[in-house]
Amino acid sequence: MSEHRRKPPQPQGGGRAAARRAAQQSSGRRAAQPRSATGSGSAPHGEERTYVGRAEARRAAQRGSGRRRGADPDAGGGGRRAAGGRGRGGGDGRPVKKRFIDYPRAGKDGFRRWLPSWKLVTGTFLFFFAVLVGAVGIGLWLVEVPSAQAASKVEKNVYYWADGKQMVVSGRGEYNRQIVPLSDIDESLQNAVISAENASFYDDNGVDPMGIARAVVNMAKGGATQSGSTITQQFVKNTYLDQSQTVTRKVKELFISIKVGATMDKEDILAGYLNTAYYGRGAYGCQAAARAYYDTDCRKLTPSQGAFLAATLNGPNLYDPAGGYGAVASKTANTKRAKLRWEWILKREVEVGRMSKADSEKYIAKGFPAPRAPKVATNKEGQIGYLTDLADNYIIANSKITKNMLDKGGYQIHTTFDRNKMNQLETAVKKVTKESIKPKLREADNHVQFGGASVEPKTGKIVAIYGGKNALEHYTNNADYTGVQVGSTFKPFVLAAAMKDGVRDKDGPRDQSDSERTLVSPKSIYNGDNKLTLRDYNGTVWHDKDGKEWHQRNDGDEDRGKINLRTAMQFSVNTPFIQLGMDVGTDKVRDAAIAAGLNEDQLASITPTFSLGTSAPSAIRLAGAYATFAASGKQASPYSVDTVEHKGIEVYNHKDDYELTTAFDPNVADNVTDVLKNVVEKGTGTSAQIGRPAAGKTGTTDENKSAWFSGYTPQLSTAIGMWRVDDKAKNQKFLSMRGVGGQKTIHGASYPAEIWADYMREAMKGKKVENFPKPEPIGEEIFGDGASPTAPPTTTAPSETPSETPSETPSETPSSETPTNSPSPTDTCDPLEIGCNGGNSNNGGNGNGGNGNNGGNGNGGGTSTPSTEPPGSDNGGWFGGGG
């Protein structure tokens, strides 16, 4: 093939126009070559031309055109158009302007048009990489490392009473945080923290992209939430930044961590982290933590103790064996978590080469290094420690203020606590303790605990609490969650559910609509006999988990016969209310309790005895739920903090969260109040009479392990609990109160009701006497199983055996304030009300003409005499639940 067939003629001057003409001529000649019909043709200069096919001619034309375009930009796609019109030019022959980004790709058909070229992919990657590098560079240039000294400055918090008077100044002092050099921190603690928190600490550059990626992947898979932060990042967060979970803060943390990692020695970073991290018990830094948990210096910690302190960094509230805040942070659960984490850390140290396997196995074999009982700050003596802790917990749970921020100080906290009512409640408890609880004389009087709370209806303000003898000696706030069952104080929620939702039709399905249910009147008749055979709503006999029939006991094994619900509540008879709960549905009872204000997490599992009080709500929640009845069905969640200010700026206001909801129809709540008012006037709660309208309920649990009285006036609701537990014991358990105070048994009507009455008289002194709303008739008079209209009513009065005196001192209620034993002209006397027709009611309260000698002692409703029958549930077997 001759040379002139592979190259177009070179232009001999004439500029661009000549070049275009030459290219067009060459292209034309190349396009015309295949026209020979004989398979040969004469080439210029007489050369013989070989025949080529149409496709080959097209490719040759495209190659030629490409070479010409490479030689001269003005040489358009003429050759390609001549070969088939597939060049870059338009249909009219005009060239198309080249694009900077050839996408969608020109000159391609089908999916190839949308398939990026390798040049485009590479260019895009390089572009974004350059942008990322530039952004990081700019970020590192703009972000400066703040002053550690200014950022970590500790201030005090000031707490105020509800009247604006200063309560206490509190905050981290020298005993909460001591900075020590790395040389004074035991190396085993260093190794444990590094192994558990950041094994690559000495090798990374302050951030660990792989760690962050692992945390993200793990969370995306639904695993536990993990932190991808290095020790450097955590040191930066603790020293320079706050604990907020915002993108801005995290970006700052990353940039500052990179700078700190590049400029600070690893030893200084590690020392800074160990000295700023929070270990629980108010301890910031390893020295304070070593003192708080083991009463030693951090340089004297054993490797096993160091592994435990490293475990607390994973979440002190959940890993302190002494327990934490909330139902999930119990002592048992925390101890189990701490042991598992401690053992994992010792094994982890072997994996990363920071401990020998033999040493790890040795420490594990020795067992968990249990820390000592917690000690609190000296400025929280008496009730003050309980109050400040309660306020702190509320702030952390209901605002954007974190524990770390709060402990750094500088906040002015305005609480709802009434200092006069606080003193009155503490005085009432001390009075009973001084007069009746004598540990040196009686073994049974040891480890007696009281707890209480007072809540304002319609607002939810916690105006007073009693958390225990002294916050420096007893560390559990008895007004908050304690796990103590409340017994028969739970029965009003059963009655409320019956009047709100009604009982189910015996012939209907289990899940019946409201239209298929019958609302219940307090005048409804139920069987009050002892050891009653429990039945499901449809009449079938209920069997326990072992397949045995369920026979519910009354306190004192007393048969009460046919009895209405009002009287059953008056004397706290168990059998009508456990059967009523079955007829209504224990799920409805649970819903009514939650609607009233009880915390779902503090309720027991659903079994028949749920209706008799196997749940363990706190005194605060119980008082708040009773406040809902006092407010005619309006529910307000209890709270302890009104406002919080920081450096003069308001950062929290309860009004922003306040919500008053309707839990019950007013007539439902008012009917419950009317029944509970009868308990105080004529039933087990007569020792709680205070000379003004009051309603309430006694409660006593199985084996006499706890006793309660919860009651209210229209203006104030208060719950008082009493139980025995050795809070210093390694394995704590509730103890029977039989023999406490020299009494055979302790009832809700004894010391709890006495404390309640003494406190409420003082708290309500000077307040206007208000009456409860008069309820309208509600529901229908139904007949429970065994109490049909044709069954003859019982004529047997309660046992005439005199009860124990509830107190060693007579009641101080003035005679003028004590309601008369005779019903007022407006009172109605139900023929089924025990003592109504002049019967001898030694333990039955104030019957019309009856001898109510011991009605105030609460023995008509009964306490929790342990049963000899086999248990019927996992929640206490034959639950007494009496008054």
Side-chain angles (χ1 to χ4, degrees):
M1 182 179 296
S2 63
E3 182 68 20
H4 71 270
R5 295 185 61 190
R6 292 187 291 108
K7 292 185 179 180
Q10 300 298 313
Q12 301 297 322
R16 292 183 179 180
R20 279 196 300 272
R21 285 193 298 272
Q24 291 170 355
Q25 290 170 2
S26 174
S27 175
R29 284 193 303 268
R30 296 170 73 91
Q33 289 173 8
R35 287 185 299 175
S36 173
T38 62
S40 64
S42 298
H45 309 289
E47 287 187 15
E48 186 72 14
R49 300 188 59 181
T50 306
Y51 172 80
V52 294
R54 185 176 298 175
E56 178 61 26
R58 192 161 49 242
R59 286 192 293 270
Q62 289 172 352
R63 286 194 298 270
S65 177
R67 283 192 296 270
R68 283 191 298 273
R69 283 198 300 271
D72 186 352
D74 288 330
R80 186 174 292 185
R81 286 192 300 271
R86 296 179 60 180
R88 289 180 178 262
D92 55 358
R94 290 177 299 175
V96 177
K97 185 178 180 180
K98 287 186 177 181
R99 293 180 295 172
F100 180 73
I101 299 176
D102 185 21
Y103 192 82
R105 298 172 67 183
K108 300 292 183 182
D109 294 327
F111 80 94
R112 293 183 179 180
R113 176 175 172 81
W114 302 99
L115 185 66
S117 66
W118 68 269
K119 292 182 179 180
L120 180 60
V121 172
T122 303
T124 302
F125 172 78
L126 293 175
F127 172 77
F128 282 106
F129 180 77
V131 170
L132 179 62
V133 172
V136 171
I138 294 173
L140 290 172
W141 177 60
L142 292 177
V143 174
E144 297 182 357
V145 178
S147 170
Q149 184 177 5
S152 59
K153 183 179 178 181
V154 176
E155 298 181 65
K156 300 292 185 180
N157 294 322
V158 184
Y159 297 80
Y160 298 90
W161 295 105
D163 61 2
K165 299 290 185 179
Q166 182 173 301
M167 178 198 303
V168 67
V169 176
S170 179
R172 291 185 300 172
E174 57 179 316
Y175 296 105
N176 294 80
R177 184 179 187 183
Q178 304 106 42
I179 304 299
V180 294
L182 191 64
S183 58
D184 282 345
I185 302 175
D186 187 80
E187 188 176 356
S188 65
L189 175 60
Q190 301 178 38
N191 289 332
V193 172
I194 293 173
S195 300
E197 300 288 315
N198 183 192
S200 63
F201 169 70
Y202 280 104
D203 299 319
D204 61 45
N205 296 317
V207 295
D208 182 9
M210 293 303 296
I212 296 174
R214 283 194 300 270
V216 172
V217 170
N218 185 71
M219 289 185 288
K221 291 180 177 179
T225 301
Q226 290 185 341
S227 170
S229 299
T230 62
I231 286 177
T232 304
Q233 288 176 260
Q234 295 181 61
F235 164 68
V236 167
K237 179 175 64 176
N238 293 339
T239 307
Y240 306 108
L241 303 172
D242 58 36
Q243 304 292 314
S244 60
Q245 299 297 319
T246 63
V247 175
T248 301
R249 204 274 294 158
K250 292 295 292 183
V251 171
K252 285 184 178 179
E253 177 189 307
L254 287 171
F255 287 148
I256 295 174
S257 297
I258 293 173
K259 278 196 169 183
V260 168
T263 57
M264 286 184 66
D265 291 337
K266 288 291 185 177
E267 289 75 13
D268 293 336
I269 294 173
L270 181 60
Y273 173 65
L274 293 175
N275 278 301
T276 57
Y278 182 58
Y279 297 79
R281 298 192 181 185
Y284 282 79
C286 56
Q287 174 65 13
R291 282 290 176 187
Y293 287 98
Y294 295 110
D295 195 23
T296 187
D297 292 329
C298 61
R299 59 187 172 86
K300 297 180 180 180
L301 289 168
T302 68
S304 184
Q305 292 171 338
F308 166 73
L309 290 185
T312 63
L313 295 173
N314 201 43
N317 187 58
L318 298 177
Y319 287 85
D320 186 348
Y325 303 114
V328 298
S330 66
K331 294 180 180 180
T332 301
N334 279 17
T335 301
K336 182 178 180 180
R337 275 190 291 263
K339 288 181 177 179
L340 290 174
R341 180 76 175 175
W342 160 80
E343 184 175 342
W344 176 83
I345 290 175
L346 289 174
K347 293 179 179 178
R348 174 68 174 165
E349 290 186 70
V350 177
E351 293 179 10
V352 299
R354 293 189 172 273
M355 180 182 286
S356 68
K357 185 175 182 181
D359 286 344
S360 175
E361 292 175 347
K362 178 181 67 175
Y363 294 126
I364 293 174
K366 285 184 177 180
F368 179 68
R372 67 172 187 165
K375 301 287 184 180
V376 295
T378 55
N379 61 345
K380 296 185 178 184
E381 187 176 3
Q383 299 299 305
I384 298 300
Y386 302 126
L387 295 176
T388 56
D389 285 349
L390 191 63
D392 289 350
N393 293 339
Y394 181 84
I395 292 169
I396 295 169
N398 294 276
S399 74
K400 296 180 180 179
I401 302 171
T402 65
K403 174 69 174 174
N404 184 269
M405 295 166 63
L406 194 63
D407 284 337
K408 284 184 178 180
Y411 292 92
Q412 296 80 47
I413 300 166
H414 298 266
T415 73
T416 62
F417 306 127
D418 185 309
R419 55 177 177 160
N420 292 327
K421 290 183 173 61
M422 280 293 303
N423 291 332
Q424 290 159 356
L425 181 53
E426 186 174 18
T427 299
V429 176
K430 286 182 175 180
K431 174 178 175 289
V432 164
T433 302
K434 182 178 180 181
E435 294 174 349
S436 305
I437 310 300
K438 303 181 184 300
K440 294 182 180 180
L441 297 180
R442 289 180 293 266
E443 176 62 28
D445 286 6
N446 284 283
H447 314 308
V448 173
Q449 303 284 343
F450 292 98
S454 201
V455 175
E456 189 176 272
K458 295 183 181 178
T459 67
K461 288 183 179 180
I462 304 172
V463 297
I465 65 167
Y466 183 81
K469 183 178 180 180
N470 190 327
L472 298 180
E473 300 175 12
H474 175 71
Y475 310 114
T476 300
N477 186 349
N478 289 346
D480 209 342
Y481 179 79
T482 58
V484 180
Q485 295 180 352
V486 295
S488 289
T489 57
F490 201 82
K491 288 175 182 174
F493 306 117
V494 184
L495 183 61
M499 292 189 290
K500 175 181 178 289
D501 298 304
V503 297
R504 292 171 285 188
D505 183 354
K506 293 182 181 297
D507 298 324
R510 177 171 291 276
D511 187 15
Q512 297 174 27
S513 66
D514 293 341
S515 61
E516 297 171 317
R517 290 172 171 260
T518 302
L519 301 185
V520 176
S521 166
K523 295 182 180 181
S524 297
I525 310 301
Y526 269 76
N527 191 339
D529 283 342
N530 183 51
K531 294 186 179 179
L532 181 70
T533 300
L534 185 65
R535 298 181 181 276
D536 204 346
Y537 77 98
N538 59 8
T540 59
V541 175
W542 186 272
H543 294 81
D544 63 21
K545 62 181 181 181
D546 297 322
K548 298 180 180 179
E549 291 187 4
W550 191 306
H551 299 280
Q552 180 61 45
R553 294 185 61 186
N554 286 328
D555 178 62
D557 289 331
E558 290 183 328
D559 289 323
R560 295 305 183 95
K562 194 164 64 172
I563 190 172
N564 66 35
L565 295 177
R566 180 183 178 87
T567 306
M569 185 76 78
Q570 179 181 345
F571 300 113
S572 201
V573 187
N574 288 331
T575 48
F577 282 98
I578 192 171
Q579 185 59 59
L580 180 63
M582 297 295 288
D583 294 344
V584 175
T586 47
D587 58 330
K588 296 294 185 182
V589 175
R590 177 199 59 200
D591 294 344
I594 294 173
L598 296 189
N599 191 321
E600 186 173 5
D601 293 337
Q602 298 174 358
L603 297 181
S605 57
I606 297 297
T607 65
T609 55
F610 179 80
S611 298
L612 299 182
T614 54
S615 296
S618 65
I620 292 173
R621 284 289 179 176
L622 187 60
Y626 271 53
T628 300
F629 297 131
S632 294
K634 297 293 184 180
Q635 193 271 333
S637 295
Y639 74 102
S640 58
V641 176
D642 273 321
T643 60
V644 179
E645 299 172 358
H646 187 256
K647 300 186 184 299
I649 301 174
E650 186 176 273
V651 292
Y652 174 78
N653 193 316
H654 172 72
K655 292 181 180 178
D656 298 335
D657 300 325
Y658 176 73
E659 184 179 7
L660 187 65
T661 61
T662 300
F664 304 107
D665 180 86
N667 199 38
V668 171
D670 292 343
N671 267 278
V672 172
T673 295
D674 187 61
V675 172
L676 297 184
K677 182 169 174 280
N678 188 55
V679 172
V680 174
E681 292 178 352
K682 303 178 182 180
T684 61
T686 55
S687 54
Q689 293 171 1
I690 58 174
R692 63 169 64 214
K697 184 70 187 73
T698 55
T700 310
T701 60
D702 264 349
E703 300 181 14
N704 210 196
K705 290 183 178 180
S706 64
W708 290 81
F709 186 85
S710 186
Y712 52 93
T713 66
Q715 301 104 313
L716 192 63
S717 176
T718 302
I720 303 294
M722 177 182 178
W723 57 91
R724 283 185 70 208
V725 63
D726 182 2
D727 59 343
K728 304 295 191 302
K730 183 176 181 180
N731 297 317
Q732 295 186 17
K733 61 180 180 178
F734 294 109
L735 308 172
S736 174
M737 292 192 294
R738 293 192 180 96
V740 170
Q743 298 189 32
K744 184 178 180 180
T745 55
I746 298 298
H747 307 86
S750 56
Y751 299 131
E754 183 179 341
I755 294 171
W756 186 93
D758 287 345
Y759 162 69
M760 290 291 283
R761 286 192 200 100
E762 294 299 316
M764 300 307 299
K765 187 175 290 185
K767 300 290 193 298
K768 179 183 177 181
V769 176
E770 294 185 12
N771 292 310
F772 293 112
K774 185 177 180 180
E776 297 294 329
I778 191 171
E780 299 181 18
E781 297 181 28
I782 67 168
F783 291 84
D785 183 73
S788 64
T790 59
T794 182
T795 58
T796 304
S799 169
E800 297 180 6
T801 303
S803 66
E804 296 289 327
T805 303
S807 172
E808 294 181 2
T809 59
S811 172
E812 296 183 359
T813 307
S815 59
S816 60
E817 294 182 352
T818 304
T820 177
N821 288 346
S822 301
S824 65
T826 57
D827 287 344
T828 59
C829 187
D830 192 291
L832 297 180
E833 185 173 317
I834 298 173
C836 177
N837 295 312
N840 187 347
S841 301
N842 289 344
N843 297 290
N846 301 312
N848 185 9
N851 183 5
N853 294 336
N854 295 302
N857 295 337
N859 292 314
T863 57
S864 304
T865 304
S867 172
T868 58
E869 300 290 334
S873 74
D874 293 332
N875 290 302
W878 307 118
F879 190 82

